[in-house]
Amino acid sequence: MTDPNLTFPKGFLFGAATASYQIEGAVTEDGRTPSIWDTFSHTPGRVLGDDNGDVAADHYHRMRDDVALMTQLGLQSYRFSIAWPRVQPGGSGAFNQKGIDFYSSLVDELLDHDIRPIATLYHWDLPQELEDRGGWANRATAQAFAPYAARVAETLGDRVHVWTTLNEPWCSAYLGYASGVHAPGRTDGADALAAVHHLNLAHGLAIQAIRAELPSATVSVTHNLHVIHPADPASEDDLDIVRRLDALGNRAFLGPELDGAYPEDLIADTAAVTDWSFVRDGDLETIHQPLDLLGVNYYTTSIARRWDGVSERHLDDGHQESEHLAWVGVDDVDFVRPPGLRTAMGWLVDPAGLTELLVRTSAAHPGLPLMVTENGAAFEDTVDADGQVRDDLRVDYVRTHLQAVKDAIDAGADVRGYQLWSLLDNFEWAWGYERRFGIIRVDYDTQERTLKDSAKLYAQVIRASA
Ligand code: IFM
C-alpha cells in the first residue's frame, strides 16, 4: 500500500533512468565504435567477473518493448543517455545517421506514449580515439564535445523535454583519472583535476551549442552531490577534512558552473598536485552558463574524519577500493563506517541525507529548480518459485526516499521530479552484472524482463499522485 500522504505537487515528473553503455549492448552495430568502457571492460581484471557491455540488457534491439514496460508502469519521463561513439564514431568528424536514428526513434516512441524524454549527452562512454589523444585531461576533448552536442540538439530538437550535458563528472574525473576504478583507469591526481576542468568546460560549451540550436531548451547538468558529515562535529580536524572533500566533490563543479569561479580553498588545497594552469582566460565565462535545472543524484551519505596515522583506516567511500585515492590530495581522510542497513554496494541507507541535500542545495541556489535524476539501490534479489521478485528492501528504499523528497519539498526545496535508478538491471560499471539496481529484473540469459515488487510500488505511487 502507498502512503496516502505521499503525493507530490502538480507537474512533478516521475520517471526512471538508464545510461547507454549500461543497457544498450550492440556495441559493434550500425557504425558504433569503441568507447573507453569497451576497452576497459575488455581488459582482464578491470571489471568484476570480466563482464562487459557487449550485450548488456540488449536495449538497442528491445527499445520498443522497454518503452511498453515504462508505459505499463505509468512513467511520465525517461532519462536516457546518448552514446557519443554511436552518433559520432571516433568522437570527431562525420556523424553516423544510423546512430542518430536510434535515439530519434526512441524519442518518438516515448512521445507517442506520453513519456517525456530527458536526454543526457555524456554518461561516461567517451570515444576511445579521444582517450588515445589524452581523454578528459586534454582540453581538445572538451572542444570536441561542442559539435557533438550541437548535432544531437539539432536532430532531436524540441522533442527533448530536458537536456543534460554531463552525468556525474565527479566519477568521470576522479574514478577515471585518479583512483582508476573506472575507465580509462588512469591514476594521476593532476590529470584528474585537469579532467574536472575540461568536463566543466565541455558542459559550458555544450550548453552554448544546445542553446544556439534550441533557444528555448531546458538545459541542465547532473551531479552526484556528496553529503559528507564529520565523525566529530566538534573536531576542527574532521571539519577541515569535510571542507576539503566538499571542495573536490561538490564545489569543484558547482563553483564554476553556478558562480563562475573555482573555490579558492580548492586551488590552495591541491597546490601540491597542480597549479591549475589548464584554466585559460575566458574559460570560466564559458562554463558559467545560465541553467534551467540542476540534476541531483543521491544514493548515500558518508562520514569522514582526519586519519590519525595509527588506527585502522577505511579508504572505501562507496566506490571500489584502489591503492590510489579518488579524493585527490586528501591523503589523511578516513571514511568511518557507522552501523546501519547497507545496500549491496555497501552504501549506507540514509533517506534523511536526501532531504538534507535537496533543502541545502535549493536554499543555496534560489531560482534554480532541482530534479532528482538518480536514486535507487542494488540489493541481492532472488526470484521466487513463482517467478516473482519480492525485493522488499528496494521497496522500502524507494518508499522512504520518495518520502524524503516530499519532506524536502515541504521544507521549501524546489524539486521538479524524481528519476529512479534504474528502470532495468544493467551493467554496473566495475561491478559488472553482479549488482542489480533495476526495478525490472533482467534475466541476462534470456533477456526476459520481470517487474519486481519495487516497480509495482512505484507504479502505485505514480498513480496515487496523478
Ligand atoms: O549505475 C550508476 C550510474 O551509471 C551513475 N550513478 C550511480 C549509479 C549506481 O552506481
Side-chain angles (χ1 to χ4, degrees):
M1 283 295 290
T2 50
D3 178 343
N5 296 318
L6 199 51
T7 54
F8 287 79
K10 194 167 160 25
F12 187 89
L13 268 191
F14 289 101
T18 63
S20 45
Y21 189 70
Q22 294 182 271
I23 62 164
E24 285 177 3
V27 291
T28 56
E29 264 175 73
D30 292 340
R32 182 189 181 278
T33 53
S35 75
I36 54 175
W37 270 98
D38 296 271
T39 308
F40 190 78
S41 63
H42 280 273
T43 306
R46 290 300 208 168
V47 172
L48 191 65
D50 284 338
D51 289 344
N52 58 58
D54 287 4
V55 178
D58 197 32
H59 171 76
Y60 192 74
H61 300 119
R62 294 164 194 266
M63 177 269 282
R64 285 176 210 287
D65 292 344
D66 289 339
V67 174
L69 288 170
M70 297 177 212
T71 308
Q72 193 180 334
L73 295 181
L75 297 192
Q76 300 159 343
S77 52
Y78 173 55
R79 176 176 181 250
F80 61 96
S81 80
I82 294 161
W84 189 351
R86 206 181 276 293
V87 164
Q88 190 183 31
S92 60
F95 290 90
N96 174 29
Q97 193 55 45
K98 284 191 171 165
I100 294 172
D101 288 347
F102 171 71
Y103 297 106
S104 194
S105 313
L106 167 62
V107 165
D108 282 344
E109 190 73 13
L110 292 169
L111 292 174
D112 283 351
H113 291 85
D114 281 332
I115 299 170
R116 295 185 186 183
I118 300 178
T120 301
L121 289 168
Y122 185 73
H123 196 130
W124 309 355
D125 34 8
L126 185 71
Q128 181 60 43
E129 288 83 346
L130 296 183
E131 173 57 28
D132 295 342
R133 297 201 283 274
W136 286 112
N138 180 3
R139 185 179 182 87
T141 298
Q143 285 157 338
F145 195 58
Y148 157 68
R151 182 58 185 266
V152 176
E154 179 201 337
T155 315
L156 301 187
D158 60 9
R159 291 177 290 159
V160 167
H161 184 63
V162 175
W163 290 93
T164 304
T165 54
L166 308 174
N167 179 71
E168 300 182 354
W170 182 90
C171 297
S172 303
Y174 299 114
L175 301 182
Y177 291 84
S179 68
V181 300
H182 277 192
R186 285 161 58 181
T187 53
D188 181 301
D191 284 346
L193 293 173
V196 166
H197 179 61
H198 297 138
L199 283 153
N200 282 331
L201 188 60
H203 157 77
L205 290 167
I207 298 270
Q208 288 178 334
I210 297 166
R211 283 230 169 86
E213 292 293 336
L214 306 165
S216 54
T218 298
V219 293
S220 70
V221 61
T222 277
H223 290 293
N224 53 324
L225 296 178
H226 293 78
V227 182
I228 306 169
H229 294 142
D232 176 1
S235 156
E236 289 296 326
D237 281 351
D238 293 2
L239 289 168
D240 193 54
I241 286 284
V242 170
R243 178 193 61 71
R244 286 154 62 195
L245 298 175
D246 177 56
L248 285 164
N250 299 328
R251 291 182 285 121
F253 302 99
L254 296 186
E257 290 169 9
L258 300 182
D259 301 326
Y262 281 103
E264 285 178 12
D265 59 331
L266 170 71
I267 309 282
D269 290 345
T270 55
V273 181
T274 181
D275 60 5
W276 290 78
S277 55
F278 41 74
V279 181
R280 298 201 192 156
D281 286 352
D283 282 2
L284 288 162
E285 288 73 23
T286 304
I287 296 168
H288 187 204
Q289 298 295 319
L291 284 185
D292 303 303
L293 188 77
L294 177 65
V296 175
N297 291 357
Y298 174 85
Y299 290 88
T300 189
T301 48
S302 307
I303 296 181
R305 70 175 167 210
R306 174 167 289 165
W307 184 48
D308 58 13
V310 182
S311 50
E312 193 196 353
R313 182 189 191 197
H314 298 99
L315 280 183
D316 182 9
D317 63 342
H319 300 283
Q320 235 162 7
E321 295 251 20
S322 160
E323 48 190 89
H324 302 272
L325 193 62
W327 299 93
V328 178
V330 195
D331 299 325
D332 47 352
V333 65
D334 177 14
F335 287 100
V336 177
R337 281 178 68 91
L341 177 65
R342 288 176 183 270
T343 69
M345 301 292 281
W347 299 345
L348 187 71
V349 175
D350 184 13
L354 178 54
T355 309
E356 175 192 328
L357 178 62
L358 294 170
V359 171
R360 174 182 95 194
T361 308
S362 198
H365 305 287
L368 179 60
L370 308 180
M371 164 110 59
V372 177
T373 37
E374 284 182 30
N375 174 245
F379 287 110
E380 276 150 29
D381 298 329
T382 50
V383 185
D384 290 344
D386 60 358
Q388 299 300 304
V389 182
R390 297 184 170 84
D391 56 340
D392 298 346
L393 290 172
R394 188 176 295 102
V395 166
D396 278 352
Y397 186 100
V398 171
R399 200 201 311 262
T400 52
H401 285 76
L402 282 167
Q403 182 63 57
V405 176
K406 178 67 170 28
D407 292 347
I409 294 171
D410 290 346
D414 182 0
V415 190
R416 302 291 175 90
Y418 177 89
Q419 311 306 314
L420 197 154
W421 187 270
S422 181
L423 178 73
L424 303 168
D425 287 339
N426 60 52
F427 176 77
E428 177 51 29
W429 308 113
W431 298 104
Y433 297 101
E434 173 81 12
R435 304 285 190 274
R436 291 177 177 268
F437 274 91
I439 54 171
I440 299 177
R441 180 177 174 87
V442 175
D443 178 328
Y444 293 115
D445 293 329
T446 62
Q447 292 294 343
E448 190 190 347
R449 273 81 163 133
T450 305
L451 300 191
K452 303 179 191 177
D453 278 4
S454 53
K456 297 172 193 165
L457 172 273
Y458 194 41
Q460 274 179 27
V461 172
I462 299 172
R463 262 197 310 276
S465 201

